[in-house]
Amino acid sequence: MIKACIFDLDGVIVDTAKYHFIAWRKLANELGFDFTEKENEKLKGVSRMGSLNLILEWGGIKMEEDKKVEWATKKNEWYKEHILDMGEEEILPGVRQFLNELKAKNIQYALGSASKNAAAVMNKIGLTEEFVTIIDGTKTTKGKPDPQVFQMGAEAMGVQAEECIVFEDAAKGVQAALNGNFYAVGVGSPESLGAAHMVISGFEGLTFDQVLQGIQ
Ligand code: BG6
Ligand code: MG
């Protein structure tokens, strides 16, 4: 019996994944190299410093810790320029309707994101109040694929993992959900999210019943 849902933010509720990519690419370019959209898949769901370490590895660059913090801060400033003017209109198609359906069916929902900007983005798009809790990168100590972020969300809602569906656009996020015994719905392509119980291309036209059937 499903009692709750947990949503990742970047790439699930809003299309901020593309802004992370643009900002990281700018950083790589300033350091004299580039990386592809395919490599970017590996950054999804990964913390800011974790992402930086991966990118530096791809560029074959070694860097002192204090320099890393400087570059990570720069990237975050670039990223924040993109989210500055965000509003409700940036909520991805169908998400609002899907949340409304959950509400009508008394299914609780929470946020489970690696981002330290999650609270700011949720405020901008006006969704903060209706989520039971917002678990983000400022609250967790372990990154995806560790299930901690989702476990904290489930605990706040008073539900077990097996009673909860996680929606994720990152392979590492899907893995985190599975590692914690949650149901996982991948949002994106089956190619990278095939491990999930169900993969959807987005929320447009999606009903909760379709999800319940799809995860069986
Ligand atoms: C995740 C994104 O949601 O948050 C990653 O998928 C990002 O791309 C991570 O690196 C951390 O975000 P932030 O906002 O704390 O730098
Ligand atoms: Mg994501």
Side-chain angles (χ1 to χ4, degrees):
M1 161 99 169
I2 298 297
K3 295 182 178 164
C5 293
I6 301 179
F7 295 86
D8 172 50
L9 176 65
D10 297 317
V12 171
I13 292 179
V14 279
D15 199 8
T16 38
K18 70 175 180 226
Y19 300 141
H20 281 293
F21 179 42
I22 292 170
W24 282 128
R25 214 170 154 207
K26 180 167 171 158
L27 176 142
N29 291 171
E30 292 214 355
L31 289 169
F33 63 100
D34 203 2
F35 64 90
T36 63
E37 205 158 348
K38 191 159 180 237
E39 284 169 306
N40 183 61
E41 280 301 312
K42 297 186 186 127
L43 302 178
K44 288 185 178 172
V46 179
S47 72
R48 197 177 305 166
M49 289 314 280
S51 302
L52 178 64
N53 284 329
L54 277 173
I55 292 166
L56 292 177
E57 215 177 285
W58 297 339
I61 292 180
K62 293 222 179 327
M63 202 181 264
E64 298 295 327
E65 267 327 291
D66 55 338
K67 277 276 165 229
K68 282 188 188 173
V69 173
E70 264 176 41
W71 279 102
T73 307
K74 264 195 208 183
K75 181 268 173 179
N76 196 46
E77 291 306 318
W78 295 328
Y79 175 70
K80 285 200 299 196
E81 283 170 19
H82 289 285
I83 60 171
L84 211 61
D85 300 324
M86 273 183 98
E88 273 176 36
E89 70 287 348
E90 298 247 0
I91 299 174
L92 283 167
V95 170
R96 181 68 277 172
Q97 291 78 352
F98 192 76
L99 295 179
N100 287 345
E101 194 193 346
L102 295 183
K103 218 182 296 176
K105 294 198 156 125
N106 282 323
I107 302 291
Q108 304 184 77
Y109 45 94
L111 194 85
S113 166
S115 174
K116 292 183 169 153
N117 291 296
V121 172
M122 287 293 278
N123 282 335
K124 282 184 187 291
I125 60 176
L127 286 184
T128 305
E129 294 308 320
E130 62 182 87
F131 276 63
V132 176
T133 186
I134 292 185
I135 310 294
D136 62 21
T138 65
K139 297 185 178 155
T140 53
T141 53
K142 297 175 204 159
K144 300 167 185 177
D146 191 283
Q148 184 193 41
V149 62
F150 301 134
Q151 286 165 338
M152 288 171 78
E155 198 183 339
M157 293 189 285
V159 299
Q160 302 298 314
E162 310 82 62
E163 300 169 327
C164 195
I165 306 172
V166 170
F167 293 86
E168 257 293 350
D169 72 316
K172 283 197 178 71
V174 164
Q175 204 46 58
L178 298 177
N179 287 343
N181 262 335
F182 291 86
Y183 284 100
V185 174
V187 184
S189 80
E191 199 190 318
S192 47
L193 306 172
H197 292 90
M198 175 188 190
V199 180
I200 58 172
S201 57
F203 287 89
E204 213 166 5
L206 184 78
T207 65
F208 186 57
D209 282 342
Q210 284 170 343
V211 174
L212 289 181
Q213 274 173 24
I215 59 173
Q216 288 316 318

